[in-house]
Amino acid sequence: MVEDHDSAIWLRVFRSVPLRQRLVAGEAMLAIELRCHDLNQMNQLTAIARSGKLRPSQTARIQSYNHIGHTLAMLRSAARQAIGGSKAKR
């Protein structure tokens, strides 16, 4: 049975490329981080949300940060798995 959740699909994407490119891409993916400005914005929006005073425009922004954060976490997880499996096979 093929797993169809996002992280399983991303792992298959990483594993579909040759080993050398997989390692380079995986290591590059692990280096990607949100900028300090974005982390500060996300933390401010979270604090406002906890206070119950989030405006609709802020709700859209926090949803975007959540989506980006989730996607980045999945990509990084797939990269770690692809790199880990590749290094063990060398």
Side-chain angles (χ1 to χ4, degrees):
M1 180 172 150
V2 175
E3 294 183 67
D4 289 329
H5 53 84
D6 293 353
S7 58
I9 295 168
W10 279 115
L11 180 57
R12 289 194 301 273
V13 168
F14 272 97
R15 288 185 174 164
S16 71
V17 297
L19 177 61
R20 183 168 300 205
Q21 287 89 346
R22 183 184 328 160
L23 293 174
V24 170
E27 289 172 4
M29 190 58 59
L30 293 174
I32 295 174
E33 295 180 353
L34 289 174
R35 294 176 42 199
C36 287
H37 171 77
D38 290 311
L39 289 173
N40 291 337
Q41 285 288 308
M42 191 170 55
N43 290 333
Q44 288 174 352
L45 290 168
T46 300
I48 295 168
R50 286 188 183 132
S51 74
K53 298 178 182 178
L54 204 60
R55 294 189 313 265
S57 63
Q58 293 170 318
T59 299
R61 285 178 34 216
I62 202 166
Q63 287 173 343
S64 291
Y65 279 118
N66 285 336
H67 177 72
I68 295 297
H70 178 71
T71 301
L72 185 55
M74 284 188 307
L75 289 172
R76 293 178 83 179
S77 174
R80 280 190 295 275
Q81 291 177 43
I83 289 171
S86 297
K87 287 185 176 177
K89 292 177 185 175
R90 283 198 234 172

